Amino acid sequence: MPTRRVVLALSGTALTTMAMQSLTGAPPHRYSPRQGKEQITPAVLSWVDALVSEAQQADDQEGSARRALVAPHVEVVTTLLRTSEYDEASGRHLARALAQLNQTLGFMAFEDRDDRAAQRHYLMALRAAHAARDRSLAASILGLMSTQAADSGYPVDALQLASAARQAATEAPASVRALIAARSGLAYAAAGDLTGFESSREHVLALREEPPIGAAPSWASYVDPVELDAIAGRSLVVLSGRAAIRQAPLLTRSRLLLAARASTPVTGEHQRSALRHGAWLSLAHARAGELDAAVEEAQTALQRLPAVRSARSLEILRQLATTLAPHGHRSVAVHQVVQRITGHLQTPG
C-alpha cells in the first residue's frame, strides 16, 4: 500500500536537504521591538495556546472534518509574528504555536489525501519549530513527513526523514522518542525491511520502560502504549504484503497490536486513530482469511464515519472491500459490508 504512487511537490534530495537544514542551520532571532504596535502579553499567548489545543482536539476526534475552520488560525498567529511587539521568549512561543498549527493542518490535509497541501504545511511547521528552537517538535514533524513519504510510495525519502527525526529527538522526552521510533517502523515497513522494523520496535519497547523525566509536550499527550502498539500493528500489515512467505505470523502479530485502539468506544477519545487502525485491523483479518472478524471490525470502523472524516482511512477500507468482494456470494454479511464501504466511497466529502 498505497495502490498508486502519489506525486509530491518535493521529493528526493530537494526534500531531504530542506529537512536537514532545519536541524543544522542557525535559528533566527524571534525578537520584534515594534514600538507602538500591539504588544504580545501573557493573555494573548494563552489565547493562542487555546487555538492550538482546539485544533489538536479537533484532529484527534474528527480527523480532517474541521480543517477549513482550523486553517485561519495559522494566519492569525502569522500576523501576530509579523506585526506585533514581543521579546525573544514570546517570539519563540508564537513560533512554536505556529509550528503546532501547521503540523495539525498538515496531518488533516494528509487525512484528506491532499498530499501537496500536507507537505506544504509540514515544511512551514518545520521552519517554525526551528525558529522556536524546539527540536522535539521538529522531530515530530519530520516523523510525520516520513510517514507521508512512506504512504506515498517514496520509501528512500521515508527512511532518510525518519533518520533525521531520530537525530532531532535525541534529547526529547522518552514518549517523543518512542513515537519517533514507532514512525520509523512505518518507514522500514514501506521499504520491506523487517529487520529495521524489528529494531525500531525493540527501541519503542525499551523506551516505554524508561521512567518519565519531565512532562511530555502537549502535542504528544496522545502517545501511550495503545497508540504505539497500533502504529506497530499497522507496520506489520504493510510488511505482510511484502513478505508472502512470512505473511501469516506477521498478520497474527498485527492483529494483537491493533486490537486495543480499534476497540476504542465510539464515544471515547482518539476517534480518528480508532477509525484508521480499525480499518487496518479489518484488513489484517481479511488477509488472514478471517472473514467474520473482518466484517465485525469493518462495521465498528464504519460506525465512526459520521463523526470522523478521513479519506486516508476510506482508502484502507477500499482495499478491504476489494479483498472481501470475491467472498460476497458465500456470506450475506460480507456482501453487506462491501456494499456499505462502497456507499461511503461514493459519498462526496
Side-chain angles (χ1 to χ4, degrees):
M1 303 181 75
T3 56
R4 62 185 176 86
R5 183 181 178 88
V6 175
V7 180
L8 298 176
L10 285 177
S11 60
T13 303
L15 176 62
T16 53
T17 298
M18 186 173 292
M20 290 305 298
Q21 285 174 345
S22 70
L23 302 180
T24 58
H29 288 291
R30 291 259 59 94
Y31 169 61
S32 178
R34 297 185 176 92
Q35 300 296 329
K37 299 293 184 180
E38 179 183 359
Q39 188 172 19
I40 299 299
T41 63
V44 173
L45 293 176
S46 294
W47 175 72
V48 168
D49 289 344
L51 293 181
V52 172
S53 178
E54 176 187 292
Q56 292 169 345
Q57 290 173 10
D59 165 56
D60 183 55
Q61 286 299 100
E62 303 172 58
S64 61
R66 291 174 61 187
R67 179 181 168 194
L69 297 178
V70 171
H73 297 350
V74 168
E75 186 61 33
V76 169
V77 178
T78 300
T79 300
L80 289 175
L81 278 164
R82 288 175 176 168
T83 65
S84 303
E85 178 184 353
Y86 46 83
D87 58 18
E88 177 74 19
S90 296
R92 288 170 62 179
H93 193 127
L94 288 173
R96 185 179 299 108
L98 183 60
Q100 291 180 76
L101 285 168
N102 273 298
Q103 174 179 242
T104 300
L105 271 173
F107 196 82
M108 287 179 164
F110 177 75
E111 287 290 295
D112 265 343
R113 295 197 69 85
D114 188 354
D115 285 284
R116 292 197 172 202
Q119 188 180 68
R120 182 173 68 251
H121 281 296
Y122 286 154
L123 290 170
M124 292 167 64
L126 199 57
R127 288 194 291 271
H130 183 54
R133 305 185 184 191
D134 190 331
R135 287 177 69 88
S136 291
L137 182 53
S140 173
I141 297 159
L142 287 164
L144 289 172
M145 292 170 66
S146 171
T147 299
Q148 181 187 28
D151 196 82
S152 301
Y154 297 84
V156 174
D157 288 0
L159 289 169
Q160 292 177 341
L161 290 165
S163 176
R166 293 193 298 273
Q167 179 180 335
T170 51
E171 297 181 6
S175 61
V176 173
R177 284 180 283 138
L179 176 63
I180 298 307
R183 289 178 179 162
S184 294
L186 288 168
Y188 285 117
D193 185 347
L194 179 57
T195 300
F197 165 78
E198 297 290 9
S199 177
S200 291
R201 179 62 179 165
E202 288 174 8
H203 192 198
V204 170
L205 294 175
L207 287 167
R208 279 166 47 169
E209 298 302 316
E210 283 193 13
I213 301 175
S218 61
W219 50 262
S221 60
Y222 70 97
V223 180
D224 60 14
V226 172
E227 185 69 16
L228 295 172
D229 283 353
I231 295 172
R234 191 164 111 215
S235 300
L236 287 165
V237 182
V238 173
L239 279 164
S240 76
R242 288 161 168 72
I245 194 171
R246 302 196 62 178
Q247 186 178 68
L250 292 173
L251 288 173
T252 297
R253 288 175 62 193
S254 75
R255 297 195 298 279
L256 293 172
L257 291 168
L258 287 162
R261 180 58 80 215
S263 63
T264 298
V266 294
T267 57
E269 296 181 334
H270 313 307
Q271 287 300 303
R272 185 257 303 149
S273 179
L275 169 61
R276 167 176 286 201
H277 292 108
W280 279 107
L281 177 56
S282 184
L283 181 61
H285 280 300
R287 286 187 176 176
E290 300 171 351
L291 302 184
D292 290 343
V295 168
E296 182 179 354
E297 295 299 338
Q299 289 172 338
T300 300
L302 289 167
Q303 288 180 35
R304 305 184 198 277
L305 283 175
V308 186
R309 191 173 82 188
S310 172
R312 190 78 48 174
S313 297
L314 279 173
E315 184 63 30
I316 302 164
L317 289 169
R318 183 197 300 274
Q319 298 273 341
L320 172 66
T322 300
T323 304
L324 291 177
H327 305 281
H329 68 284
R330 294 193 291 124
S331 167
V332 173
V334 168
H335 176 74
Q336 288 177 339
V337 84
V338 169
Q339 292 298 107
R340 285 188 64 191
I341 293 170
T342 303
H344 281 289
L345 290 170
Q346 292 172 348
T347 301

